[in-house]
Amino acid sequence: MNYFQEGRNMTTVMATTEASVFVDWTSREGTVKAVGKLGGRTATVVGPSGGINEVNTNGEYPYFADPSVFTPPLPASDTVGLVSKPADSQFTVDFGAPVQDAVFHIGSLASIMTFEDATVTQLSGDQNFKVEQIGNTYEVKGLPKDGAPTDSNGTIRVSKPAPFKSVTFKLRLNFSSPGGEEGVYLQIGR
């Protein structure tokens, strides 16, 4: 359920940004694809085999609600669980139609997200959530942390010089993990 499309919690959203619409995630196809609706169009996240973990489709993910960490805060939301491993894994987000820019809420990030074909701007985040530009590449970095909410959390804006239909990023661990992987939560808006 997308609380923004159905008018719930609109006071919070309207105070922050009037045009925010976030994906209503509806399904997962194996461990490689999440599918949802972004303002009436089909949006997807596609990753490698084992790259998509859980997909929360019931609008009950509560951890994007802190206004000091997420812009705009989402009191309840859907989310896609990405799996980060020691080596780069590539993910592609398709918005279903061109967008001018996109907003990514990123939760529990103890990894590095690398964008090579887009500009990334940090909108908000906790003290360990950072965006660094290295040449034409942008890295979104988070560190592991014990306690809730775990790891680093924040919001980025992804943009390109002209409207774009998709964006690709790589994801890899930013620490040594005995299990060799960690979960990262993602919600996408425009």
Side-chain angles (χ1 to χ4, degrees):
M1 177 184 315
N2 186 323
Y3 285 81
F4 300 101
Q5 290 175 339
E6 294 187 14
R8 296 184 188 128
N9 298 317
M10 288 304 289
T11 303
T12 303
V13 176
M14 297 299 276
T16 306
T17 174
E18 292 189 32
S20 293
V21 176
F22 283 81
V23 177
D24 176 10
W25 295 106
T26 56
S27 64
R28 180 180 78 169
E29 296 178 12
T31 60
V32 298
K33 186 177 187 179
V35 180
K37 292 292 183 183
L38 178 61
R41 58 178 96 167
T42 299
T44 60
V45 176
V46 177
S49 179
I52 304 289
N53 192 355
E54 63 187 304
V55 177
N56 181 310
T57 61
N58 62 8
E60 294 179 357
Y61 184 81
Y63 299 110
F64 295 138
D66 185 341
S68 69
V69 178
F70 297 104
T71 306
L74 303 178
S77 176
D78 290 351
T79 187
V80 173
L82 306 179
V83 178
S84 181
K85 298 182 178 188
D88 280 332
S89 295
Q90 185 167 300
F91 295 86
T92 300
V93 176
D94 187 309
F95 301 99
V99 297
Q100 186 61 45
D101 57 17
V103 173
F104 285 25
H105 281 357
I106 304 165
S108 190
L109 181 71
S111 295
I112 299 171
M113 297 176 79
T114 304
F115 293 81
E116 297 176 347
D117 66 342
T119 300
V120 176
T121 305
Q122 182 173 338
L123 299 179
S124 55
D126 62 32
Q127 65 185 13
N128 292 318
F129 185 85
K130 306 288 183 209
V131 173
E132 295 180 10
Q133 182 178 2
I134 303 166
N136 292 328
T137 299
Y138 290 83
E139 291 187 343
V140 182
K141 295 182 178 182
L143 296 174
K145 175 177 84 70
D146 291 330
T150 60
D151 306 330
S152 298
N153 301 277
T155 303
I156 60 172
R157 176 180 294 119
V158 179
S159 59
K160 296 185 181 185
F164 56 102
K165 186 176 178 283
S166 66
V167 66
T168 298
F169 63 88
K170 295 176 184 172
L171 185 65
R172 74 177 181 283
L173 289 178
N174 195 21
F175 69 102
S176 178
S177 169
E181 61 185 43
E182 73 124 354
V184 176
Y185 295 97
L186 177 68
Q187 177 57 303
I188 299 166
R190 62 169 176 85

